[in-house]
PDB file of all heavy atoms in Angstrom:
ATOM      1  N   THR G 438     160.480-116.908  77.148  1.00 70.00           N
ATOM      2  CA  THR G 438     161.661-117.486  77.791  1.00 70.00           C
ATOM      3  C   THR G 438     162.820-116.498  77.799  1.00 70.00           C
ATOM      4  O   THR G 438     163.907-116.829  78.266  1.00 70.00           O
ATOM      5  CB  THR G 438     162.102-118.761  77.045  1.00 70.00           C
ATOM      6  OG1 THR G 438     162.381-118.432  75.670  1.00 70.00           O
ATOM      7  CG2 THR G 438     161.019-119.828  77.105  1.00 70.00           C
ATOM      8  N   ARG G 439     162.593-115.299  77.294  1.00 69.00           N
ATOM      9  CA  ARG G 439     163.669-114.324  77.163  1.00 69.00           C
ATOM     10  C   ARG G 439     163.818-113.519  78.452  1.00 69.00           C
ATOM     11  O   ARG G 439     162.830-113.154  79.085  1.00 69.00           O
ATOM     12  CB  ARG G 439     163.385-113.382  75.991  1.00 69.00           C
ATOM     13  CG  ARG G 439     164.557-112.484  75.640  1.00 69.00           C
ATOM     14  CD  ARG G 439     164.207-111.632  74.428  1.00 69.00           C
ATOM     15  NE  ARG G 439     163.974-112.435  73.257  1.00 69.00           N
ATOM     16  CZ  ARG G 439     164.934-112.894  72.475  1.00 69.00           C
ATOM     17  NH1 ARG G 439     166.201-112.643  72.770  1.00 69.00           N
ATOM     18  NH2 ARG G 439     164.655-113.617  71.415  1.00 69.00           N
ATOM     19  N   ARG G 440     165.040-113.248  78.836  1.00 73.00           N
ATOM     20  CA  ARG G 440     165.320-112.414  79.993  1.00 73.00           C
ATOM     21  C   ARG G 440     166.089-111.177  79.525  1.00 73.00           C
ATOM     22  O   ARG G 440     166.963-111.261  78.669  1.00 73.00           O
ATOM     23  CB  ARG G 440     166.159-113.172  81.022  1.00 73.00           C
ATOM     24  CG  ARG G 440     166.353-112.410  82.338  1.00 73.00           C
ATOM     25  CD  ARG G 440     167.328-113.152  83.232  1.00 73.00           C
ATOM     26  NE  ARG G 440     166.833-114.459  83.599  1.00 73.00           N
ATOM     27  CZ  ARG G 440     166.025-114.689  84.630  1.00 73.00           C
ATOM     28  NH1 ARG G 440     165.619-113.681  85.377  1.00 73.00           N
ATOM     29  NH2 ARG G 440     165.626-115.900  84.906  1.00 73.00           N
ATOM     30  N   GLY G 441     165.749-110.025  80.091  1.00 77.00           N
ATOM     31  CA  GLY G 441     166.402-108.793  79.696  1.00 77.00           C
ATOM     32  C   GLY G 441     167.815-108.684  80.243  1.00 77.00           C
ATOM     33  O   GLY G 441     168.197-109.364  81.207  1.00 77.00           O
ATOM     34  N   LEU G 442     168.598-107.810  79.616  1.00 77.00           N
ATOM     35  CA  LEU G 442     169.970-107.601  80.072  1.00 77.00           C
ATOM     36  C   LEU G 442     170.016-107.071  81.494  1.00 77.00           C
ATOM     37  O   LEU G 442     170.900-107.436  82.272  1.00 77.00           O
ATOM     38  CB  LEU G 442     170.670-106.609  79.139  1.00 77.00           C
ATOM     39  CG  LEU G 442     171.170-107.155  77.803  1.00 77.00           C
ATOM     40  CD1 LEU G 442     171.584-106.014  76.902  1.00 77.00           C
ATOM     41  CD2 LEU G 442     172.344-108.090  78.033  1.00 77.00           C
ATOM     42  N   LEU G 443     169.082-106.208  81.842  1.00 74.00           N
ATOM     43  CA  LEU G 443     169.081-105.643  83.190  1.00 74.00           C
ATOM     44  C   LEU G 443     168.887-106.728  84.241  1.00 74.00           C
ATOM     45  O   LEU G 443     169.568-106.752  85.268  1.00 74.00           O
ATOM     46  CB  LEU G 443     167.991-104.576  83.307  1.00 74.00           C
ATOM     47  CG  LEU G 443     167.922-103.845  84.650  1.00 74.00           C
ATOM     48  CD1 LEU G 443     169.222-103.103  84.925  1.00 74.00           C
ATOM     49  CD2 LEU G 443     166.737-102.885  84.675  1.00 74.00           C
ATOM     50  N   GLY G 444     167.960-107.653  83.990  1.00 70.00           N
ATOM     51  CA  GLY G 444     167.739-108.753  84.926  1.00 70.00           C
ATOM     52  C   GLY G 444     168.962-109.633  85.061  1.00 70.00           C
ATOM     53  O   GLY G 444     169.315-110.065  86.167  1.00 70.00           O
ATOM     54  N   GLN G 445     169.640-109.876  83.926  1.00 68.00           N
ATOM     55  CA  GLN G 445     170.863-110.666  83.981  1.00 68.00           C
ATOM     56  C   GLN G 445     171.932-109.973  84.825  1.00 68.00           C
ATOM     57  O   GLN G 445     172.636-110.597  85.617  1.00 68.00           O
ATOM     58  CB  GLN G 445     171.410-110.880  82.558  1.00 68.00           C
ATOM     59  CG  GLN G 445     170.511-111.712  81.662  1.00 68.00           C
ATOM     60  CD  GLN G 445     170.610-113.194  81.985  1.00 68.00           C
ATOM     61  OE1 GLN G 445     171.476-113.616  82.742  1.00 68.00           O
ATOM     62  NE2 GLN G 445     169.717-113.980  81.424  1.00 68.00           N
ATOM     63  N   TYR G 446     172.011-108.675  84.638  1.00 64.00           N
ATOM     64  CA  TYR G 446     173.032-107.910  85.355  1.00 64.00           C
ATOM     65  C   TYR G 446     172.748-107.906  86.859  1.00 64.00           C
ATOM     66  O   TYR G 446     173.660-108.081  87.679  1.00 64.00           O
ATOM     67  CB  TYR G 446     173.062-106.482  84.816  1.00 64.00           C
ATOM     68  CG  TYR G 446     174.112-105.607  85.439  1.00 64.00           C
ATOM     69  CD1 TYR G 446     175.446-105.730  85.074  1.00 64.00           C
ATOM     70  CD2 TYR G 446     173.765-104.651  86.396  1.00 64.00           C
ATOM     71  CE1 TYR G 446     176.417-104.926  85.637  1.00 64.00           C
ATOM     72  CE2 TYR G 446     174.726-103.843  86.972  1.00 64.00           C
ATOM     73  CZ  TYR G 446     176.047-103.982  86.594  1.00 64.00           C
ATOM     74  OH  TYR G 446     176.998-103.189  87.164  1.00 64.00           O
ATOM     75  N   VAL G 447     171.492-107.719  87.206  1.00 64.00           N
ATOM     76  CA  VAL G 447     171.111-107.694  88.622  1.00 64.00           C
ATOM     77  C   VAL G 447     171.415-109.030  89.280  1.00 64.00           C
ATOM     78  O   VAL G 447     171.842-109.100  90.434  1.00 64.00           O
ATOM     79  CB  VAL G 447     169.616-107.339  88.769  1.00 64.00           C
ATOM     80  CG1 VAL G 447     169.139-107.554  90.204  1.00 64.00           C
ATOM     81  CG2 VAL G 447     169.382-105.894  88.346  1.00 64.00           C
ATOM     82  N   LEU G 448     171.220-110.112  88.528  1.00 60.00           N
ATOM     83  CA  LEU G 448     171.468-111.445  89.068  1.00 60.00           C
ATOM     84  C   LEU G 448     172.929-111.858  88.957  1.00 60.00           C
ATOM     85  O   LEU G 448     173.273-113.009  89.223  1.00 60.00           O
ATOM     86  CB  LEU G 448     170.592-112.473  88.345  1.00 60.00           C
ATOM     87  CG  LEU G 448     169.083-112.317  88.567  1.00 60.00           C
ATOM     88  CD1 LEU G 448     168.320-113.306  87.701  1.00 60.00           C
ATOM     89  CD2 LEU G 448     168.732-112.518  90.036  1.00 60.00           C
ATOM     90  N   GLU G 449     173.772-110.889  88.546  1.00 49.00           N
ATOM     91  CA  GLU G 449     175.212-111.118  88.440  1.00 49.00           C
ATOM     92  C   GLU G 449     175.538-112.321  87.556  1.00 49.00           C
ATOM     93  O   GLU G 449     176.400-113.137  87.879  1.00 49.00           O
ATOM     94  CB  GLU G 449     175.824-111.309  89.830  1.00 49.00           C
ATOM     95  CG  GLU G 449     175.715-110.075  90.696  1.00 49.00           C
ATOM     96  CD  GLU G 449     176.401-110.242  92.041  1.00 49.00           C
ATOM     97  OE1 GLU G 449     176.776-111.406  92.351  1.00 49.00           O
ATOM     98  OE2 GLU G 449     176.562-109.257  92.755  1.00 49.00           O
TER      99      GLU G 449
END
Side-chain angles (χ1 to χ4, degrees):
T438 58
R439 189 177 297 277
R440 187 187 298 274
L442 281 169
L443 183 61
Q445 295 283 350
Y446 182 77
V447 170
L448 294 175
E449 296 184 349

